Amino acid sequence: AQSVTQLDSHVSVSEGTPVLLRCNYSSSYSPSLFWYVQHPNKGLQLLLKYTSAATLVKGINGFEAEFKKSETSFHLTKPSAHMSDAAEYFCVVSDASNTGKLIFGQGTTLQVKP
Amino acid sequence: DVKVTQSSRYLVKRTGEKVFLECVQDMDHENMFWYRQDPGLGLRLIYFSYDVKMKEKGDIPEGYSVSREKKERFSLILESASTNQTSMYLCASSFNRGIYEKLFFGSGTQLSVL
């Protein structure tokens, strides 16, 4: 069965410093992986997705993630945090049954300090 | 842009009441989903639907039912609300079943059962 584990429930960075949100996955097949972001009182929005075309995936707002099969990881990074990046981030894997179901990690809250 | 609209942002109900949560999408999407979001648990799938009058159980269907009489509308029903159903409920839709399909989310309904 597919699953994702977000290794940090809360990450705090200073504005202008790099962001690293960690995610490990478990999958019996070649997975489809996503990062979604949820700003306060807003719906979830897709940041980026991995579809096996390239291991380094670029998303919106300067975020990117690298798929590492050997480490079963899909960590989210950004070179320089902005105050507007403060939100909850979810690492997500697609269910293998091709039903369109998504399996969500527990979420990581990113705090950005001035 | 795809719009997924949930009928209520906040809802307060009493134990034992029958509760209806409504969701409408405006992009002719085939798939619709109901998730609940609880702190530290991420999003968990309650029910989903591929087509009108079709429904599939997700990971936590107990205590819930759904209805999809029209393609654009997906309703979640709590037959007899209980306090452990206090949660944020998120509706989502996607174009089809592919494993690379992204979900479009509504803003959520925060349900409190007293």
Side-chain angles (χ1 to χ4, degrees):
Chain A
Q2 288 69 45
S3 67
V4 288
T5 301
Q6 293 183 242
L7 300 173
D8 307 291
S9 60
H10 189 270
V11 170
S12 182
V13 301
S14 297
E15 191 174 21
T17 64
V19 175
L20 170 64
L21 304 184
R22 300 182 295 163
C23 172
N24 286 351
Y25 70 90
S26 172
S27 178
S28 55
Y29 77 114
S30 183
S32 181
L33 293 159
F34 307 77
W35 277 97
Y36 279 78
V37 61
Q38 185 180 34
H39 288 94
N41 299 316
K42 297 272 184 71
L44 277 84
Q45 178 185 19
L46 179 68
L47 264 184
L48 50 82
K49 66 178 178 181
Y50 167 71
T51 61
S52 77
T55 56
L56 183 62
V57 183
K58 294 189 185 298
I60 61 173
N61 300 333
F63 284 93
E64 61 183 37
E66 186 171 8
F67 174 72
K68 291 187 176 180
K69 187 175 181 178
S70 60
E71 298 176 11
T72 61
S73 69
F74 190 57
H75 301 334
L76 182 70
T77 60
K78 183 174 181 178
S80 176
H82 191 272
M83 296 297 292
S84 61
D85 295 328
E88 189 159 20
Y89 292 80
F90 293 95
C91 183
V92 184
V93 65
S94 182
D95 183 80
S97 58
N98 200 32
T99 57
K101 287 170 57 178
L102 297 184
I103 299 164
F104 284 74
Q106 302 91 328
T108 298
T109 300
L110 175 64
Q111 179 187 20
V112 182
K113 296 178 288 187
Chain B
D1 273 358
V2 174
K3 198 163 186 182
V4 180
T5 304
Q6 295 183 231
S7 54
S8 305
R9 183 75 181 94
Y10 299 97
L11 213 50
V12 179
K13 296 293 181 181
R14 297 213 173 272
T15 303
E17 277 193 79
K18 190 169 187 176
V19 181
F20 293 86
L21 303 183
E22 305 286 346
C23 175
V24 177
Q25 50 93 3
D26 67 356
M27 280 299 289
D28 203 35
H29 282 176
E30 290 185 3
N31 296 347
M32 296 189 76
F33 304 81
W34 275 106
Y35 286 88
R36 65 176 280 177
Q37 179 179 10
D38 299 288
L41 296 178
L43 276 70
R44 293 177 291 166
L45 182 63
I46 305 171
Y47 267 97
F48 59 106
S49 168
Y50 296 134
D51 202 349
V52 176
K53 297 195 185 296
M54 289 186 64
K55 60 184 179 183
E56 297 274 351
K57 291 181 179 179
D59 300 316
I60 52 165
E62 296 79 18
Y64 303 94
S65 62
V66 290
S67 172
R68 195 168 180 197
E69 296 296 319
K70 293 185 177 182
K71 191 173 185 179
E72 68 270 18
R73 187 179 296 270
F74 192 37
S75 303
L76 180 69
I77 304 157
L78 286 66
E79 296 290 343
S80 177
S82 64
T83 55
N84 62 12
Q85 293 179 309
T86 291
S87 185
M88 172 67 81
Y89 290 88
L90 295 172
C91 176
S93 70
S94 66
F95 182 63
N96 63 32
R97 298 191 198 187
I99 63 170
Y100 303 130
E101 283 297 314
K102 77 177 204 181
L103 298 189
F104 294 85
F105 282 86
S107 298
T109 296
Q110 179 63 53
L111 173 67
S112 297
V113 182
L114 307 178

